[in-house]
Amino acid sequence: MILGYNGAFLQRNNLDALAKLNTEQYAAATAPAGHNLVIASAGTGKTSTIVARIAHLLNLGTSPRKILLLTFTNKAASEMIARLQRHFDKKITSAIVAGTFHAVSYALLRELGKGVILKQPAELKTLLKSLVEKRKFYHVSDARPYGGAYLYDVYSLYQNKEMSADFATWFSKNYEDQAEFAEIYADILREFEEEKAKFNYADFNDVLLKMRHELRKGAPLRFDEILVDEYQDTNSLQGSLIDAFATKSLFCVGDFDQSIYAFNGANIDIIGSFGKRFADAKIYTLNINYRSSSAILALANRVIANNPRLYEKKLIVGREGKFSAPKLHVYDDTAAQYAHVAAQIAQSGTPREKIAVIFRNNSSADGIEVALKELGIGAKRKGGVSFFESREIKAFTDIFAMIINPKDMMAFMSTCEYARGVGSALSKELFDALIALGHGSIHAGLLRPDESVKIFEKKRKNYQLGLFDDVDIIGSVSRFEALEFDEFFRSHPVLKHNKITEGGAVFLHEIYKIFKKSGSAARSTTLISQIKNSRLFALVADFIATKRATLKNGKIDEDRKKDETARIYDKCGILEQIAGKYADPQSFYNFITLGAKEMSEGEGVNLLSVHASKGLEFCSVYLIDMAQNRFPNLKLMAMGGSLEEERRLFYVAVTRARDELVLSYAKFDKIRKVSYEPSCFLREAGLVK
């Protein structure tokens, strides 16, 4: 971003950014100065229109440093400036103030001599934590107060959403179970702001707040026009910042039908109220879609028309040619759905990188990812962790590896990460001990230990090297007598290590039990079933689910823990479904480990959540799991979402497709044991009755 500009500019000859615009785009791009809102539906050329608008301003003689372009990513701003450079000298385009709300505000504050020291949220959470820990809450209530990290996030939400009420009032209204602490929290945050001010520290919200404050004080920052991209995604703080610039000409581009970030604080009322907030407001609509076929657009229009219409619009086709109508495939079960979608992709003549599988829920992506891998089809996943890279599958694979390879040190150590009180140093010592007891096999070390082998000997003190902790390493196994171990394991020599806690001993006992049960010649399906149903994996699953369900205030959300546990075992169910194709355990292990590498690093089919797909387009789109409860996601709706937002998500997903759209759902999920009806959106689209 270059904020200075020296000298006049020269327009390049024979290049005109307005020349190829359609009538609607041209009318918007050349609108008179004032408050202009452009409703740019999917695929209608919003970027071209913004670029053309800037070109128009420059052609009129507007100084480039008097133009402010606000985007939601620096990449978007860079791409627009790059397009302008096809028509104007770089000296001109580099003088335009362009970037995200935060980047622009930071640069302008520095120009005003109001520089701040940017700090990451993690650093400021540490500061806030120190202030929280000084306070005493017990005399107010027996309820557990929020920790500093969680309070920081609550405060951030307040800053982005609330424009009038003070923090204590807002907090009491929105967090009733903690309302008795509202005044204490408000005082802590007052002290927090004072401490930040001492050192001129600021986070991203602070940058916007400081910028707004300076503008309201009369900072000499006057732009002839401000352009805002993705206007539907602005939150209340960003909206108030735009207002604070008090520019006489505002050019906002967005689409209320693509407002899908309410969970991040986006306020759809900002774009919805534009016509009422400005007396001179003019609304322009881009309706000609140059991306999707007429049949795909017709389907999108039928569904989104069920949402309230903030402004009149209707997508019309701008492409010529013959394209297939959207297809709906219905399957008896989810596994069949994923396998058939993968088979369709395998047979498609469309380049893999121009194909997308779009999903509402990450669990949907797991099945299709594995199905693609089975056919040797590369994929890249965005909007969720790869099935093969998920923590639970890695842990499952490590247990599997321990069973089939009695010398796999890393599998043993990785598995022991989930044991309470067993760190990496201790797990390495235990592995070495079991290898010694089993003469090269941890199986034999646990099941048939050679007790004549000395595994734990006193080590010499060496203060210089810091090895003084390992002097008295041998403890008594009698300390575990109360635990429910079988008679053989209760006296196992490995339990003599004095650093093994009860949690570690229990974990080792479960490894011992699964080794005892599995044997070395088991089939893949048998091993997977044994691992899935073992107490060992239950401990691992509980560890992972608990961590995922632990809130920032330190509390465990029991409902979320239950859901996370169910998801973990659902993933194991996918392993069970495919294991039959790999009778040899080593072959199955190779599939899983190679899958992890290839799917995480590979190119090919795009696996995208709806949110991750926004702004992209593909020749072929497969929209999977179009079942009621899954899309729309009724659970998320119950947590503060809405059917209108789910419908906007469907609209975004459908309008990513250029030539081919295939929708599908399954009537039954064998893993969850759940039956499904078709999504209400399929009925609205006219695909089912």
Side-chain angles (χ1 to χ4, degrees):
M1 185 187 308
I2 299 178
L3 301 175
Y5 176 69
N6 297 312
F9 61 87
L10 297 174
Q11 184 179 348
R12 290 182 180 174
N13 294 328
N14 303 318
L15 290 174
D16 188 356
L18 296 135
K20 296 183 179 180
L21 300 183
N22 65 35
T23 303
E24 292 176 344
Q25 293 167 335
Y26 187 87
T30 59
H35 292 89
N36 299 300
L37 173 63
V38 183
I39 305 300
S41 300
T44 57
K46 75 171 177 75
T47 301
S48 296
T49 303
I50 294 173
V51 170
R53 176 64 177 184
I54 297 173
H56 176 66
L57 295 173
L58 294 174
N59 287 340
L60 291 177
T62 304
S63 170
R65 58 191 177 118
K66 290 291 185 179
I67 299 172
L68 171 59
L69 171 62
L70 295 172
T71 60
F72 276 80
T73 66
N74 285 313
K75 181 181 177 184
S78 298
E79 289 176 350
M80 292 183 194
I81 298 300
R83 285 201 194 186
L84 280 167
Q85 288 173 3
R86 302 172 191 173
H87 309 280
F88 298 90
D89 191 274
K90 189 175 181 179
K91 186 186 296 184
I92 299 167
T93 59
S94 63
I96 297 170
V97 185
T100 65
F101 285 84
H102 303 102
V104 165
S105 296
Y106 183 69
L108 292 177
L109 285 170
R110 288 178 63 87
E111 189 179 72
L112 291 170
K114 308 289 183 179
V116 294
I117 301 172
L118 275 175
K119 288 292 179 181
Q120 293 296 320
E123 297 176 278
L124 293 178
K125 284 180 179 180
T126 301
L127 171 60
L128 185 56
K129 184 180 178 181
S130 71
L131 302 177
V132 170
E133 290 176 351
K134 290 194 311 181
R135 304 299 178 107
K136 304 294 183 183
F137 294 83
Y138 57 82
H139 65 286
V140 179
S141 170
D142 292 331
R144 185 174 180 179
Y146 289 162
Y150 193 71
L151 181 59
Y152 179 93
D153 290 336
V154 171
Y155 186 45
S156 179
L157 183 64
Y158 163 76
Q159 292 175 312
N160 279 286
K161 295 189 72 169
E162 184 55 49
M163 293 295 108
S164 55
D166 63 83
F167 177 82
T169 303
W170 174 85
F171 182 87
S172 299
K173 180 181 178 181
N174 291 277
Y175 299 85
E176 294 181 2
D177 61 326
Q178 290 269 313
E180 59 257 71
F181 299 137
E183 294 296 335
I184 300 176
Y185 291 148
D187 195 56
I188 291 171
L189 291 169
R190 176 195 55 75
E191 188 179 0
F192 179 58
E193 292 295 341
E194 290 174 354
E195 287 296 314
K196 287 194 296 180
K198 287 180 184 178
F199 304 98
N200 209 21
Y201 291 160
D203 63 11
F204 297 126
N205 286 342
D206 293 327
V207 169
L208 301 192
L209 290 166
K210 290 178 181 293
M211 186 73 261
R212 187 181 68 183
H213 176 69
E214 294 299 326
L215 289 168
R216 288 175 175 177
K217 282 193 339 180
L221 295 171
R222 293 290 178 263
F223 293 95
D224 291 345
E225 180 158 304
I226 297 175
L227 302 95
V228 185
D229 188 22
E230 302 288 1
Y231 189 57
Q232 78 279 350
D233 292 333
T234 51
N235 60 38
S236 297
L237 175 56
Q238 292 164 339
S240 68
L241 179 62
I242 295 170
D243 292 341
F245 276 104
T247 183
K248 293 181 179 179
S249 190
L250 186 63
F251 191 84
C252 300
V253 182
D255 181 12
F256 55 93
D257 286 332
Q258 297 186 73
S259 179
I260 59 174
Y261 290 102
F263 69 93
N264 253 354
N267 184 357
I268 197 172
D269 291 337
I270 293 175
I271 190 172
S273 63
F274 190 94
K276 297 177 182 178
R277 287 187 290 116
F278 302 109
D280 65 337
K282 291 183 175 60
I283 314 297
Y284 299 86
T285 306
L286 308 184
N287 290 303
I288 303 175
N289 180 290
Y290 295 98
R291 176 185 299 156
S292 305
S293 69
S294 57
I296 293 172
L297 290 178
L299 185 150
N301 284 332
R302 283 195 296 272
V303 175
I304 202 64
N306 290 277
N307 269 5
R309 302 287 77 200
L310 300 183
Y311 303 98
E312 280 300 316
K313 66 162 188 167
K314 188 173 182 179
L315 285 177
I316 57 177
V317 66
R319 296 179 64 197
E320 296 181 356
K322 293 183 178 180
F323 306 98
S324 60
K327 303 180 185 71
L328 173 65
H329 294 305
V330 183
Y331 301 91
D332 289 333
D333 63 80
T334 52
Q337 176 189 201
Y338 303 142
H340 189 248
V341 170
Q344 286 179 283
I345 292 171
Q347 296 168 8
S348 173
T350 304
R352 301 281 164 76
E353 67 274 9
K354 296 183 179 181
I355 298 173
V357 180
I358 298 178
F359 48 88
R360 178 68 179 96
N361 309 289
N362 281 318
S363 59
S364 299
D366 292 335
I368 188 65
E369 185 178 7
V370 173
L372 287 167
K373 173 56 188 164
E374 285 192 283
L375 297 179
I377 299 173
K380 46 187 176 181
R381 185 165 170 178
K382 187 178 179 182
V385 179
S386 165
F387 173 87
F388 299 97
E389 291 291 333
S390 64
R391 193 168 186 184
E392 52 268 42
I393 295 302
K394 284 186 172 181
F396 198 104
T397 304
D398 284 329
I399 296 173
F400 194 95
M402 281 198 307
I403 294 173
I404 66 172
N405 182 1
K407 297 182 179 181
D408 196 329
M409 180 181 72
M410 293 312 302
F412 179 86
M413 291 179 63
S414 296
T415 301
C416 287
E417 288 179 3
Y418 301 97
R420 310 287 181 183
V422 180
S424 56
L426 178 56
S427 67
K428 175 64 163 60
E429 288 183 22
L430 295 177
F431 176 83
D432 290 341
L434 291 172
I435 283 289
L437 290 168
H439 298 286
S441 166
I442 59 173
H443 296 177
L446 274 172
L447 302 176
R448 300 176 302 278
D450 181 352
E451 298 195 29
S452 68
V453 176
K454 295 182 179 180
I455 51 173
F456 303 132
E457 295 184 347
K458 288 189 176 183
K459 296 183 179 181
R460 185 175 59 185
K461 287 186 178 182
N462 189 327
Y463 290 98
Q464 284 184 319
L465 297 180
L467 300 177
F468 43 85
D469 287 333
D470 296 324
V471 176
D472 299 314
I473 200 167
I474 300 176
S476 172
V477 298
S478 62
R479 66 193 191 279
F480 303 125
E481 284 182 354
L483 300 178
E484 295 181 357
F485 294 164
D486 66 25
E487 186 175 351
F488 172 80
F489 190 78
R490 188 175 287 114
S491 59
H492 199 289
V494 79
L495 296 179
K496 292 180 180 179
H497 198 300
N498 69 352
K499 290 185 180 180
I500 298 179
T501 62
E502 284 194 5
V506 169
F507 202 84
L508 280 174
H509 185 237
E510 297 305 327
I511 295 176
Y512 158 80
K513 284 165 59 179
I514 202 167
F515 283 177
K516 188 176 179 180
K517 187 174 183 179
S518 64
S520 59
R523 294 172 60 86
S524 295
T525 50
T526 306
L527 284 182
I528 290 171
S529 180
Q530 289 175 350
I531 296 171
K532 181 185 176 185
N533 297 316
S534 70
R535 174 64 179 158
L536 175 64
F537 189 73
L539 292 172
V540 172
D542 184 76
F543 184 101
I544 296 171
T546 301
K547 188 169 184 177
R548 290 174 178 171
T550 301
L551 304 175
K552 292 178 180 178
N553 62 4
K555 295 180 179 179
I556 297 172
D557 185 330
E558 293 297 338
D559 289 335
R560 182 175 178 183
K561 181 179 176 179
K562 185 178 178 181
D563 290 342
E564 290 293 342
T565 302
R567 290 192 186 98
I568 290 169
Y569 280 95
D570 285 347
K571 286 180 180 281
C572 297
I574 294 173
L575 293 178
E576 283 187 304
Q577 287 183 332
I578 63 174
K581 301 175 185 178
Y582 303 90
D584 174 37
Q586 188 62 54
S587 298
F588 180 79
Y589 178 74
N590 291 343
F591 167 75
I592 295 297
T593 53
L594 289 174
K597 183 178 187 297
E598 293 173 13
M599 296 303 267
S600 61
E601 299 178 358
E603 297 292 323
V605 178
N606 299 274
L607 307 182
L608 304 167
S609 67
V610 180
H611 288 97
S613 75
K614 192 171 181 293
L616 305 176
E617 62 179 56
F618 305 93
C619 292
S620 298
V621 167
Y622 294 82
L623 186 51
I624 60 176
D625 282 329
M626 287 302 306
Q628 196 68 6
N629 295 344
R630 304 199 72 175
F631 201 173
N633 190 314
L634 299 191
K635 183 176 181 180
L636 292 179
M637 287 169 57
M639 296 168 62
S642 67
L643 183 61
E644 287 77 17
E645 176 129 338
E646 290 291 314
R647 192 175 281 115
R648 292 195 293 270
L649 284 161
F650 177 80
Y651 175 83
V652 167
V654 166
T655 53
R656 300 311 95 196
R658 289 181 52 81
D659 307 327
E660 182 183 29
L661 175 65
V662 181
L663 306 98
S664 62
Y665 79 95
K667 297 177 182 178
F668 186 69
D669 188 328
K670 289 182 179 178
I671 298 174
R672 295 183 176 89
K673 304 292 190 293
V674 177
S675 297
Y676 291 110
E677 295 293 323
S679 167
C680 61
F681 301 148
L682 296 179
R683 290 194 171 88
E684 292 174 359
L687 296 174
V688 297
K689 295 182 179 179

